[in-house]
C-alpha cells in the first residue's frame, strides 16, 4: 500500500519513483504525511531569510538562465556597498535573523575581496547576531574559507541536476561549467565549515522521474543541510527555450515540485527546505502550498526595487508593490492562516547541521 512506502525508514529509487508518480488521493496522502513529519521534526516554525540580489553580472553561460553572460538583452546592475548595508540594516531591525545574498557567478580577486568586506560590514551592523547565507557559485577552497571567517555561515550551490548527462545538456561543455567542479564545491564548503545547501530544477527538458528520484537520493547521500529547489521556468533569451514545446505544462511542473519537497522532507526529516519564489511564479499561493508540503524557510526579497526587476533568472518572476514592512506583515498573516508561525528574530540554523549528522567526505 502507498502508506507503507511512505513509512519506510529507507526508500529505494523505485519507492521514490512511485511517490513522485502519486495522483489524487495518494498525492494528498503524500502531502499530509510530509506535513506530519515536518511538524514532528522541525515544528511549526517558518524561518525568515531576507534576500538580497547583489548583482546580475555573471561569468557563466548556463543554457537555462536569463542572466547568462551572452544574453545582451539584460540590463546589468551591481548594488553599491551602501545599498547592501542598508538592506542588511533593515533586515536586522525587522528581526529577520538571517540574510541570503545571491548574485551571478564571478571569481575575480576584486569580487571575492568585496564579498569579504561586505560580510565584515554586515557582521558589524548586526552585532554578529544574524546568519548570512551566500549563493555565489563555485569558488576556490581558500575563498570559501575566507568568506566563512569573514562572517558567512551557510552557502548554497545548486547542482541543478545530479545526472551528469543531463547536467551537461543544460550547460556548455567547458571547464567553466564542469559537473565535477560543481560537486567538488559542495565538498569544499563542507570542509570550510559551512551549513551546505543544494537544489535542483524540476521539469527540465529531457528530465525523467528516474532523474528526480536520483536527485533525492543524491541529496540524501551527501547528507545536505538545506535545500532550495523548484520548477524549471523557461526564459525566451536562453538556448534551452527551443525545447519549450516538449516541457511538462507549468501546473504539472508545480505539482511535481511540491512532491519533491514532500518526499525530501520525509527522507531528510530535519533539514531546512525553502519555499522558493519559482513556486509562486506558477501559483499565487505556491510558497504557502510548499510550506504545507514540508518547506520551512521563506525568503522575502529585500533587494532595492529598481534592481529587483533586473534579476530575472526566468520570466514572470513575482514582485510586490507593497512596502517591505507591509509585505512582511502580509506574509506573517498568510503563514498564520495555514497554521504556522513566522519565527521572527530566530536564526533558523538547520537542525540536521546542529545535530552533527556529518557524513560527506572528500
Amino acid at each position: 500500500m502507498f502508506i507503507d512506502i511512505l513509512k519506510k525508514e529507507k526508500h529505494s529509487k523505485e519507492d521514490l519513483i512511485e511517490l513522485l508518480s502519486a495522483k489524487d488521493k495518494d498525492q494528498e496522502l503524500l502531502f499530509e504525511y510530509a506535513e506530519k513529519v515536518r511538524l514532528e521534526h522541525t515544528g511549526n516554525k517558518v524561518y525568515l531569510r531576507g534576500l538580497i540580489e547583489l548583482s546580475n553580472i555573471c561569468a557563466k553561460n548556463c543554457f537555462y538562465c536569463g542572466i547568462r553572460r551572452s544574453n545582451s538583452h539584460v540590463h546589468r546592475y551591481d548594488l553599491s556597498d551602501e545599498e547592501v548595508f542598508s538592506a542588511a540594516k533593515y533586515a536586522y531591525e525587522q528581526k529577520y535573523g538571517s540574510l541570503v545574498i545571491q548574485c551571478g557567478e564571478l571569481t575575480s580577486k576584486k569580487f571575492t575581496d568585496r564579498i569579504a568586506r561586505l560580510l565584515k560590514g554586515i557582521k558589524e551592523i548586526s552585532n554578529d547576531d544574524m546568519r548570512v547565507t551566500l549563493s555565489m557559485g563555485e569558488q576556490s577552497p581558500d575563498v570559501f574559507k575566507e568568506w566563512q571567517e569573514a562572517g558567512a555561515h551557510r552557502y548554497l550551490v545548486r547542482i541543478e541536476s545530479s545526472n551528469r548527462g543531463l547536467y551537461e545538456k543544460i550547460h556548455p561543455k567547458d571547464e567553466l561549467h564542469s559537473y565535477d567542479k560543481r560537486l567538488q564545491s559542495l565538498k569544499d564548503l563542507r570542509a570550510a565549515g559551512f551549513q551546505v545547501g543544494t537544489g535542483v530544477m524540476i521539469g527540465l527538458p529531457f528530465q525523467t522521474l528516474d532523474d528526480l528520484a536520483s536527485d533525492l537520493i543524491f541529496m540524501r547521500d551527501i547528507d545536505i543541510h538545506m535545500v532550495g529547489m523548484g520548477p524549471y521556468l523557461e526564459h525566451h533569451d536562453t538556448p534551452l527555450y527551443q525545447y519549450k514545446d516538449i516541457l511538462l505544462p507549468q501546473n504539472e511542473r508545480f505539482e511535481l515540485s511540491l512532491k519533491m519537497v514532500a518526499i525530501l522532507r520525509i527522507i531528510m526529516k530535519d533539514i531546512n527546505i525553502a519555499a522558493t519564489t519559482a513556486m509562486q511564479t506558477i501559483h499565487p499561493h505556491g510558497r504557502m502550498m510548499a510550506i504545507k508540503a514540508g518547506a520551512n524557510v521563506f525568503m522575502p526579497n529585500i533587494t532595492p526595487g529598481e534592481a529587483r526587476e533586473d534579476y530575472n533568472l526566468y520570466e514572470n518572476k513575482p514582485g510586490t508593490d507593497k512596502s517591505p514592512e507591509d509585505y512582511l506583515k502580509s506574509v506573517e498573516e498568510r503563514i498564520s492562516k495555514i497554521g504556522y508561525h513566522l519565527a521572527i528574530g530566530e536564526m533558523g540554523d538547520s537542525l540536521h547541521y546542529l545535530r552533527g549528522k556529518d557524513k560527506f567526505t572528500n
Side-chain angles (χ1 to χ4, degrees):
M1 289 179 64
F2 191 78
I3 189 66
D4 295 325
I5 298 174
L6 288 172
K7 289 181 177 179
K8 282 188 176 183
E9 282 298 312
K10 188 78 178 276
H11 296 80
S12 67
K13 182 185 280 191
E14 291 69 30
D15 291 332
L16 298 177
I17 290 171
E18 185 155 353
L19 295 179
L20 286 165
S21 305
K23 300 289 184 188
D24 304 324
K25 288 185 178 178
D26 283 344
Q27 181 172 293
E28 288 178 24
L29 186 58
L30 168 64
F31 295 152
E32 288 170 6
Y33 191 79
E35 185 175 30
K36 178 174 176 284
V37 169
R38 178 245 210 273
L39 289 169
E40 284 179 3
H41 291 271
T42 65
N44 76 336
K45 292 180 179 178
V46 177
Y47 296 114
L48 272 176
R49 310 277 190 262
L51 176 62
I52 301 173
E53 295 164 334
L54 175 66
S55 171
N56 66 356
I57 300 167
C58 190
K60 288 206 167 185
N61 234 352
C62 306
F63 292 155
Y64 49 82
C65 184
I67 64 169
R68 62 195 305 267
R69 184 184 69 232
S70 293
N71 185 2
S72 59
H73 299 117
V74 178
H75 176 258
R76 303 289 176 178
Y77 77 90
D78 191 13
L79 295 183
S80 68
D81 289 8
E82 291 72 23
E83 287 174 310
V84 174
F85 291 143
S86 176
K89 186 172 184 287
Y90 165 79
Y92 177 62
E93 290 173 346
Q94 295 296 313
K95 302 187 185 306
Y96 270 59
S98 236
L99 280 180
V100 175
I101 307 176
Q102 69 178 28
C103 63
E105 296 196 27
L106 301 172
T107 56
S108 70
K109 190 168 189 313
K110 180 181 178 182
F111 171 76
T112 60
D113 286 350
R114 183 192 180 206
I115 299 305
R117 185 174 69 248
L118 289 173
L119 287 166
K120 289 171 184 173
I122 291 167
K123 193 172 184 177
E124 187 175 334
I125 287 167
S126 66
N127 298 310
D128 199 18
D129 199 28
M130 269 200 311
R131 291 284 188 258
V132 179
T133 303
L134 298 181
S135 180
M136 298 176 176
E138 301 149 26
Q139 304 290 338
S140 71
D142 287 345
V143 167
F144 285 146
K145 192 63 183 171
E146 179 188 9
W147 287 352
Q148 194 269 340
E149 290 172 353
H153 308 89
R154 310 174 183 132
Y155 203 107
L156 176 74
V157 174
R158 289 186 19 156
I159 194 72
E160 304 301 4
S161 174
S162 64
N163 178 323
R164 182 188 294 270
L166 181 53
Y167 185 95
E168 291 175 353
K169 282 183 178 178
I170 63 176
H171 295 91
K173 291 183 180 178
D174 57 34
E175 277 298 297
L176 195 59
H177 304 81
S178 161
Y179 177 87
D180 290 322
K181 284 186 178 178
R182 201 74 172 172
L183 187 58
Q184 187 61 46
S185 287
L186 291 169
K187 297 177 181 180
D188 292 340
L189 285 163
R190 181 78 61 136
F194 280 98
Q195 294 179 48
V196 186
T198 195
V200 296
M201 286 183 288
I202 300 154
L204 283 162
F206 321 116
Q207 190 181 55
T208 65
L209 290 185
D210 188 283
D211 291 328
L212 291 172
S214 295
D215 290 337
L216 290 163
I217 291 169
F218 170 81
M219 290 185 277
R220 181 183 69 190
D221 288 353
I222 68 170
D223 201 37
I224 208 70
H225 301 131
M226 57 187 197
V227 169
M229 60 183 176
Y232 164 67
L233 296 167
E234 62 272 32
H235 190 295
H236 71 280
D237 281 329
T238 63
L240 221 56
Y241 191 71
Q242 65 183 300
Y243 301 109
K244 66 184 186 303
D245 294 334
I246 67 168
L247 295 173
L248 290 172
Q250 284 198 352
N251 66 308
E252 290 185 31
R253 279 177 261 167
F254 174 73
E255 279 200 353
L256 202 49
S257 298
L258 286 179
K259 286 190 271 191
M260 285 286 285
V261 167
I263 297 166
L264 187 62
R265 174 56 68 200
I266 291 166
I267 68 173
M268 299 195 77
K269 297 175 172 54
D270 56 358
I271 67 170
N272 280 345
I273 303 175
T276 56
T277 306
M279 305 285 268
Q280 190 174 326
T281 301
I282 295 178
H283 193 292
H285 305 299
R287 285 194 276 189
M288 296 301 124
M289 293 169 74
I291 288 168
K292 288 287 285 181
N296 66 328
V297 171
F298 191 93
M299 300 187 293
N301 194 329
I302 60 171
T303 307
E306 59 274 16
R308 196 182 308 173
E309 303 302 316
D310 294 318
Y311 200 85
N312 287 322
L313 308 182
Y314 47 81
E315 295 181 334
N316 302 315
K317 176 183 164 186
T320 177
D321 54 3
K322 295 180 180 178
S323 70
E325 293 80 6
D326 287 344
Y327 180 66
L328 183 58
K329 186 177 179 182
S330 73
V331 167
E332 193 166 12
E333 288 171 353
R334 280 182 285 153
I335 286 173
S336 178
K337 279 182 181 177
I338 60 172
Y340 288 85
H341 167 65
L342 196 60
I344 301 291
E346 296 191 37
M347 295 178 183
D349 287 321
S350 165
L351 293 177
H352 197 64
Y353 172 83
L354 294 176
R355 288 165 179 163
K357 298 176 182 177
D358 200 354
K359 298 176 293 192
F360 193 2
T361 56
N362 286 300

